[in-house]
Amino acid sequence: MNAFAAALDTLFADPNLGETALWQAGGIGPGVPVRVIRRRPDAVVEFGASRALMATVLLDLRRTEAAAIDEGDLVVIGTETFKIIGTPSSDPMGLVLTCEAVKV
């Protein structure tokens, strides 16, 4: 493990940042326990002179826990369920996957 991976493990383990969740590949099954960091609870989208508030969230997951996460998968955090709505993107070091999701 390198220093960057160790630092990420510390961030994901921090109860002020990380949360325990269940990742359900394809939205089925009991799920795999993972740690996630939620970011950007809502997005403001502009349509000409109008603005709309979209209830989206970005979820960061460690690649070591959810390397195969994909569009259509579910992430359950407590009583909230989120559906991954796009292809996850990776950080430059390939340690963290960022997934755009919506609450279902």
Side-chain angles (χ1 to χ4, degrees):
M1 178 184 309
N2 66 35
F4 293 107
L8 280 172
D9 286 346
T10 300
L11 290 173
F12 275 88
D14 185 323
N16 297 301
L17 296 174
E19 300 176 79
T20 300
L22 288 175
W23 161 45
Q24 295 175 312
I28 57 172
V32 175
V34 294
R35 293 286 293 176
V36 300
I37 295 176
R38 278 194 240 204
R39 296 190 290 127
R40 194 182 73 179
D42 293 319
V44 176
V45 179
E46 294 186 19
F47 298 99
S50 300
R51 295 174 60 179
L53 183 65
M54 295 185 61
T56 62
V57 65
L58 293 179
L59 301 174
D60 287 339
L61 295 95
R62 289 179 286 190
R63 185 181 292 272
T64 57
E65 292 184 329
I69 195 165
D70 203 2
E71 185 174 358
D73 291 357
L74 298 180
V75 176
V76 181
I77 306 171
T79 60
E80 298 176 296
T81 301
F82 298 92
K83 183 175 184 177
I84 307 302
I85 60 170
T87 303
S89 61
S90 181
D91 71 298
M93 301 218 33
L95 300 173
V96 176
L97 293 169
T98 299
C99 305
E100 187 174 3
V102 293
K103 192 172 178 179
V104 292

